[in-house]
Amino acid sequence: MHRPFRFEPPSPTPAAVLRPRLLEPLARRFEARLVTVEAGAGLGKTTLLAQAVSENRLAPRGRDVWLTCDPADASASILLGDLLLALGWRQLDGPPTVEQVCEAVWAAAPEHVCLVLDDAQHLGPGSGGEAALRSLVEGLPENGHLVVAARRLPDLPRTRLLLQGRAVELSAAQLSLEPDEAAALAAYHGTDAAVLEHVGGWPALAELHARLGTADARRFVWEEVLASLPEADRTAFVFLVGVGGTDAEALVAAMGDAVNPARLATLPLVAVDDRGGLRPHPIWEELLADRIEPGASAAARETLAEVLTQRGDHSVAFELLASAGSWTRALEVLFDACNAQRNPPWRDQMVRWHHLLPPEVADRPEALYLRAMIERAGDAWSDTASETFVAAIAGFRAREDTLREVMATVRFSAIAWLRGDVDAFATFHQRGVELIGQGWPLQPILALNEAITAEIEGRIDDVLARADAVGDAEPRLQHLIWLLRVFARLAGGDADSAVDDAQRAASAALPVMPAAGTGWATFAPTLVSWLRGDLSAVRAASVGDPGPRDAIAERVPPLALAIIEAAHLGDVARARSLLDDLDALVPDIGARHLLAGFRAVAGAAVAIAAGDEAAAATELAEHLDGRPLDPVLAGRALRWFPALPHLLHESSRRLLDDLPSGPARTRALDASRALRAARSGEDWTVPALVSDADALLTVLPAPLAVELVVHAAAARGAGASTAIARLAELSPTATRRALDVIGAGGPPSVSRAARSLLGSVPIPPPHRVRIEVLGPARLLRDGVPIDDANWRRQRVRQLVCAVVAHDEIRRTRLGTLLWPEFDEDGVSSNLRMTLSYLQTLLEPERPKGHAPWFLQQDAGVLRLGGGDHLSVDAWELEAMLDAAAAAAASGAPSVELEHLRAAIGLWRGDYLDDVAGEEWAEPLRERMHSRFSSAAVRAGALLVASGQPRDAIQAAEAALAADPWSEGAYGVLASAHAALGDDDAARRAVEAAARRRAELGLSPDPAELTSRAPR
């Protein structure tokens, strides 16, 4: 027997507790093809749908047809038969079909019909009912719509509809009560709102609490939600609530194979995370309080912790043991969690663990080790970090826990490395030899320590040899082997040979982040690219501060490179902002010599970019003087970024001149030496780097790079234009400023070379220009329309139209187009003056004598360009139409339609409107109008085919705006109106087409159009 409301919704919610935020998306059901509501028991799906149907009866937007599904509807014939009965069919000849349902819906046109299916979870996976519903989603006519509500939705084709904006989805999270809604419900029942504070937004529980109290709420969830579960699943769910949630694999391992995690995932207020974890809402602990025995939760946590420990998930296992108060076992697992070989903990995670420790275990070696790891992950130069590691190591050694002693020592060695503490490594080595004698296999660790010692002492060949000897090491140490090789090669100035090692270091580091050194390792490929002169690779990498979760030792180097990159490219504001970030990160560098070197070169680069070379020298002196310039201390940054220290800091220059240098550092030092010699008037050789502007900018900031190129131009007499053009492209403001300064105050030959380059090499302006010639011509600078006296000159706008319409045009031809009635002298004079007006409009701040950027001339030929600084609406329109044609040719009409719609959005009015009627312009205008109109007609046809008739009407109207006689546009109008059920409008479109044909003197027989209209 059918329930009373199988074809009728239940009574709606009282108006006092309506939820308009949920009714609004449901009200769109008469526009969308599909609305889905998926949520567990008691979350108000049926109530919501009933209210929506009730609201529609008050102000109808269409007709709702209700069906409450039951298990029999899993059969396609039952489901389709029920739908036909609900739609009013009383006589069925044979098995009902999807086509009959669609026919019944279409019979109601133009009225919209919405099929509302509640409890659709009965249409189980793979059932005939599910397949029939899928076919309905695809096959419903334009006036048909579906609302499907279920605890678990059938498999429906939703993705395409969502992308098209034709589907609406409501989830359990959206159906949960918001605070104001809970308060309204409480007020309706005359209950204090505080009663509903802990129901998790679950509407059914809120209703029960408000009316009956906690006892009935518990009974409801047990009887209505859990009683129907198999016993194994009920027991597993109680366990799941007791442990606070876990993943499906662990749950099955703890409770047995009979458990069905997928079934538990469908319960209300059970979240499923992106890794398959099941997380019951905390309210379940209250609701199952009388089902969970005292002490059962602690036992469950211990059981699950052992399952997780066996599979290596020590971090979650520790937290479970901590919550159970099992501290002896918890501390053992804590140590393993800190030393995870995959996905080691971040500092903030370890801080949270530290807060879980009770005071009575604070002096245990594991607790000390945790604190030491936290300190190291923040500031490795902290005295607390070293002292706490020493105490932890001593504690492990005192209780003869050698394994943990060794592991703690390995972690401590990272601090000694950053400090360049050779004595500490000697102590580590001595203890390692002793333990090897006792049978501990520590040879790889000793080899690694020997490689680090060699790096501290600058013995490059020994670093490489000992790194090769490490062999197999624990996963979270493997990246250090490759990183040591990178450091050794960079210490020798040979970045070119470090490429493969850098990639291997980064690959080995990714799975073990944030273990010590992983920040350096993942940064290594970008660093090597910069030192090799590969500017494009660095810019693509978007180097910057890794963020506050990393230790400062691993944040400063990439942050310093980001500062250097921004400064070298002339972005002074960004470079200064990043430098401020570095100073805020390390306000007092103190004895952190490694960081001082990076701060020195970063600060010097910013000062040079700002035009203050004296300040750059001061930055270097302030941060380097009195510090050890050893390879792993302040000298590391000097060896990586040598040009500015060599140019401006005496002690750094002496050090760098004495070092043997590989090709990368040699290129940088050659540039510095050449610039020093050129400035002093000494003999010098132009370095090869001058011809590679990208690589030159990785060595010198733009002002110095420009200066070196200009000196080379003065020395050679020619050949600098290409380099300056590239520098101008990469750093336009800095290049222009440097050329201005040199041109105004350098030695005579150098000044002349700078001025010559300014006059011959176009440099991008600081603003962007947009030209629009679809409709009345418009000129915009940085998005702001220009409307000054020069732009109001008709000839200026006509000139703009002419240069836009032609890819390039000779001056004589342009003059003839605009002033056909003038003689040669008159044409030349007028053209010169009008071009001057236009150049001022395009680049108002360009000094006289500087080469123009947007409108350039070469051998009497004018070209309008500007790269990213210029956009033209007509050019964009042509590009969109070309892309649409290519998509059509490749058989991708959806992509074609996307481009066509973008093109329609660009049409602002007639092409070249300001030169309408000019003989030269009319063929161009006619071609553009015809092409656009055809494209808009094609878009309209595709929109009709894809069930978007309203958008198709807009496309047809756009086509008619460009070509009022377009038969295709009228055909689209007829088809679109017919699809909407508006027969009168469809016939009017056919009649309008006939009138247009008559105006053109054509036979008034639009048979094709007439066939599109409904009869």
Side-chain angles (χ1 to χ4, degrees):
M1 174 180 284
H2 295 314
R3 283 171 283 173
F5 54 87
R6 181 165 176 75
F7 299 117
E8 288 291 333
S11 300
T13 302
V17 288
L18 283 180
R19 294 202 274 168
R21 67 178 177 86
L22 295 177
L23 290 174
E24 188 278 328
L26 275 175
R28 300 205 303 271
R29 65 188 181 277
F30 292 109
E31 302 166 7
R33 169 58 60 91
L34 175 66
V35 177
T36 59
V37 185
E38 184 174 30
L43 280 168
K45 301 181 297 300
T46 301
T47 302
L48 175 63
L49 296 186
Q51 189 63 54
V53 171
S54 176
E55 294 293 309
N56 185 55
R57 286 173 178 168
L58 294 176
R61 300 186 181 190
R63 173 187 167 196
D64 284 309
V65 175
W66 182 283
L67 173 64
T68 301
C69 299
D70 60 24
D73 287 308
S75 166
S77 61
I78 298 294
L79 174 67
L80 295 172
D82 284 346
L83 285 172
L84 287 169
L85 288 173
L87 282 163
W89 280 36
R90 294 291 177 259
Q91 192 71 32
L92 297 177
D93 298 325
T97 65
V98 170
E99 289 73 17
Q100 288 175 325
V101 174
C102 293
E103 182 182 349
V105 171
W106 179 243
E111 183 181 24
H112 286 261
V113 177
C114 182
L115 306 178
V116 182
L117 277 66
D118 193 22
D119 284 347
Q121 65 271 5
H122 293 301
L123 313 181
S127 70
E130 182 186 65
L133 190 57
R134 275 202 307 270
S135 297
L136 270 178
V137 174
E138 296 285 359
L140 275 177
E142 187 64 27
N143 70 317
H145 314 273
L146 266 172
V147 174
V148 181
R151 296 184 183 184
R152 190 170 189 178
L153 284 170
D155 181 17
L156 300 177
R158 290 183 282 173
T159 303
R160 178 174 56 84
L161 294 173
L162 286 168
L163 291 173
Q164 294 173 347
R166 303 177 67 210
V168 176
E169 292 184 330
L170 291 174
S171 65
Q174 292 163 289
L175 265 65
S176 295
L177 292 172
E178 293 186 349
D180 60 331
E181 294 167 341
L185 182 63
Y188 175 73
H189 289 291
T191 302
D192 189 333
V195 173
L196 306 185
E197 284 182 357
H198 304 294
V199 299
W202 194 347
L205 283 188
E207 186 78 22
L208 286 170
H209 273 290
R211 291 193 300 174
L212 303 173
T214 301
D216 282 288
R218 289 175 176 171
R219 188 160 46 250
F220 165 79
V221 297
W222 188 262
E223 293 176 357
E224 296 294 327
V225 179
L226 300 180
S228 62
L229 294 177
E231 182 178 355
D233 286 341
R234 281 200 308 274
T235 303
F237 188 67
V238 173
F239 176 89
L240 190 68
V241 171
V243 300
T246 188
D247 61 83
E249 179 186 345
L251 182 63
V252 171
M255 301 302 296
D257 292 338
V259 175
N260 185 347
R263 186 179 292 122
L264 301 184
T266 66
L267 296 177
L269 298 184
V270 175
V272 181
D273 62 29
D274 56 0
R275 293 176 294 178
L278 305 176
R279 307 292 171 193
H281 191 283
I283 193 176
W284 278 108
E285 295 181 27
E286 176 191 338
L287 295 171
L288 297 180
D290 54 355
R291 306 278 176 175
I292 301 177
E293 298 179 2
S297 290
R301 284 170 163 78
E302 291 172 352
T303 299
L304 181 60
E306 293 307 320
V307 169
L308 296 174
T309 299
Q310 290 172 17
R311 76 177 194 190
D313 197 349
H314 297 96
S315 60
V316 180
F318 163 70
E319 297 196 27
L320 286 167
L321 291 166
S323 66
S326 305
W327 285 110
T328 298
R329 180 61 175 146
L331 289 176
E332 295 173 351
V333 175
L334 171 63
F335 186 89
D336 293 335
C338 289
N339 290 283
Q341 294 300 308
R342 289 288 186 268
N343 301 312
W346 292 87
R347 184 177 188 273
D348 50 4
Q349 187 176 4
M350 291 189 290
V351 168
R352 185 163 56 81
W353 293 345
H354 190 264
H355 290 324
L356 296 177
L357 301 180
E360 58 266 25
V361 304
D363 292 333
R364 295 278 293 273
E366 293 88 349
L368 293 171
Y369 178 75
L370 173 63
R371 185 180 175 198
M373 292 288 283
I374 291 170
E375 291 292 330
R376 191 193 74 172
D379 181 3
W381 288 268
S382 158
D383 290 338
T384 302
S386 296
E387 293 166 0
T388 314
F389 263 119
V390 169
I393 293 168
F396 289 130
R397 189 169 183 178
R399 73 182 193 197
E400 298 183 352
D401 191 342
T402 304
L403 177 61
R404 289 184 171 86
E405 174 198 349
V406 170
M407 295 181 73
T409 302
V410 170
R411 307 300 175 236
F412 183 30
S413 66
I415 292 177
W417 187 6
L418 291 171
R419 293 182 171 189
D421 189 348
V422 177
D423 293 339
F425 279 97
T427 302
F428 301 156
H429 182 84
Q430 181 179 354
R431 177 61 173 160
V433 170
E434 179 182 336
L435 291 174
I436 288 174
Q438 297 175 16
W440 287 85
L442 301 182
Q443 289 84 353
I445 291 177
L446 282 193
L448 185 62
N449 281 359
E450 290 167 359
I452 295 173
T453 301
E455 213 247 329
I456 293 172
E457 296 176 343
R459 296 181 279 113
I460 294 172
D461 292 341
D462 288 345
V463 175
L464 296 172
R466 297 313 297 156
D468 289 341
V470 172
D472 292 333
E474 61 173 296
R476 61 187 283 173
L477 295 180
Q478 283 290 339
H479 64 283
L480 297 179
I481 300 170
W482 302 110
L483 186 61
L484 278 162
R485 294 177 61 83
V486 172
F487 284 172
R489 297 188 188 283
L490 298 188
D494 187 9
D496 295 344
S497 66
V499 174
D500 291 342
D501 290 335
Q503 291 294 341
R504 292 188 181 102
S507 297
L510 286 174
V512 296
M513 292 185 71
T518 52
W520 291 87
T522 53
F523 165 60
T526 304
L527 171 67
V528 169
S529 293
W530 179 268
L531 300 184
R532 296 181 66 231
D534 190 349
L535 181 61
S536 60
V538 177
R539 298 180 75 187
S542 300
V543 66
D545 183 359
R549 298 186 80 185
D550 279 56
I552 60 171
E554 310 212 16
R555 291 177 67 183
V556 168
L559 182 53
L561 179 56
I563 295 167
I564 293 168
E565 178 197 4
H568 281 217
L569 291 174
D571 192 345
V572 180
R574 180 170 183 269
R576 280 179 170 157
S577 176
L578 291 171
L579 187 63
D580 289 343
D581 292 344
L582 195 158
D583 287 338
L585 179 62
V586 194
D588 179 16
I589 288 180
R592 300 174 183 88
H593 302 306
L594 171 71
L595 304 187
F598 289 103
R599 175 59 180 80
V601 292
V606 174
I608 292 292
D612 193 342
E613 192 166 308
T618 299
E619 287 278 356
L620 291 165
E622 179 181 338
H623 290 96
L624 296 179
D625 287 352
R627 292 188 185 273
L629 302 183
D630 297 345
V632 301
L633 300 176
R636 192 185 289 283
L638 303 188
R639 287 163 172 78
W640 290 0
F641 311 107
L644 291 185
H646 184 273
L647 185 68
L648 302 172
H649 189 244
E650 181 63 33
S651 58
S652 295
R653 185 181 310 121
R654 290 196 300 269
L655 170 69
L656 291 165
D657 282 339
D658 290 342
L659 285 176
S661 293
R665 189 158 64 227
T666 297
R667 290 193 293 267
L669 295 180
D670 283 349
S672 171
R673 290 167 181 145
L675 186 56
R676 283 174 54 81
R679 285 177 169 183
S680 63
E682 300 173 9
D683 291 337
W684 61 289
T685 301
V686 176
L689 205 58
V690 165
S691 61
D692 186 348
D694 288 58
L696 183 58
L697 279 179
T698 64
V699 169
L700 293 172
L704 298 183
V706 170
E707 182 183 353
L708 182 58
V709 172
V710 174
H711 277 291
R716 290 175 172 173
S721 295
T722 301
I724 288 295
R726 180 58 177 161
L727 290 173
E729 180 183 349
L730 294 168
S731 182
T733 301
T735 300
R736 188 189 300 276
R737 185 186 303 118
L739 288 173
D740 277 334
V741 169
I742 299 168
S749 62
V750 178
S751 294
R752 284 194 299 273
R755 291 194 296 271
S756 174
L757 289 167
L758 280 169
S760 60
V761 178
I763 297 177
H767 59 268
R768 281 173 165 73
V769 164
R770 179 169 180 79
I771 297 173
E772 296 180 348
V773 293
L774 296 170
R778 295 207 311 165
L779 178 70
L780 301 92
R781 281 200 302 268
D782 287 335
V784 178
I786 303 304
D787 186 27
D788 64 12
N790 284 341
W791 182 248
R792 289 193 292 271
R793 296 175 187 272
Q794 183 182 17
R795 290 301 191 190
V796 170
R797 299 194 305 277
Q798 290 178 336
L799 190 151
V800 166
C801 289
V803 296
V804 165
H806 299 83
D807 291 336
E808 58 181 41
I809 186 169
R810 299 196 67 82
R811 283 179 64 107
T812 53
R813 168 65 174 155
L814 180 59
T816 302
L817 293 181
L818 298 180
W819 294 277
E821 71 280 12
F822 284 32
D823 60 19
E824 184 176 342
D825 289 342
V827 167
S828 177
S829 175
N830 278 281
L831 180 58
R832 184 170 58 253
M833 184 63 68
T834 306
L835 283 172
S836 176
Y837 292 146
L838 179 55
Q839 294 286 21
T840 301
L841 286 167
L842 294 172
E843 298 180 74
E845 299 176 357
R846 179 172 57 87
K848 184 178 180 180
H850 287 206
W853 175 255
F854 293 108
L855 190 57
Q856 300 173 16
Q857 179 176 269
D858 181 25
V861 176
L862 287 167
R863 295 181 181 85
L864 180 65
D868 292 341
H869 285 69
L870 175 70
S871 61
V872 179
D873 61 349
W875 296 355
E876 293 172 354
L877 178 67
E878 296 258 29
M880 288 296 176
L881 297 182
D882 290 343
S890 64
S894 62
V895 178
E896 178 191 6
L897 179 57
E898 181 181 344
H899 292 304
L900 291 173
R901 297 183 80 162
I904 291 172
L906 288 168
W907 191 262
R908 193 171 52 88
D910 289 348
Y911 178 52
L912 302 180
D913 186 64
D914 287 72
V915 289
E918 296 290 335
E919 184 177 352
W920 66 268
E922 284 310 305
L924 300 176
R925 283 163 45 82
E926 183 178 346
R927 173 190 168 278
M928 179 70 85
H929 286 206
S930 174
R931 190 177 186 201
F932 173 78
S933 179
S934 298
V937 168
R938 170 64 174 166
L942 291 173
L943 288 165
V944 170
S946 63
Q948 302 176 73
R950 289 183 175 84
D951 291 346
I953 291 171
Q954 294 178 1
E957 290 171 346
L960 290 171
D963 180 6
W965 291 273
S966 171
E967 287 191 46
Y970 287 111
V972 169
L973 281 177
S975 298
H977 285 303
L980 289 170
D982 191 343
D983 294 359
D984 290 341
R987 290 191 179 93
R988 286 196 297 272
V990 173
E991 293 164 359
R995 288 195 301 273
R996 288 296 189 183
R997 289 175 62 88
E999 291 173 10
L1000 295 173
L1002 301 175
S1003 173
D1005 182 24
E1008 181 182 352
L1009 287 172
T1010 303
S1011 68
R1012 298 172 185 254
R1015 296 189 177 89

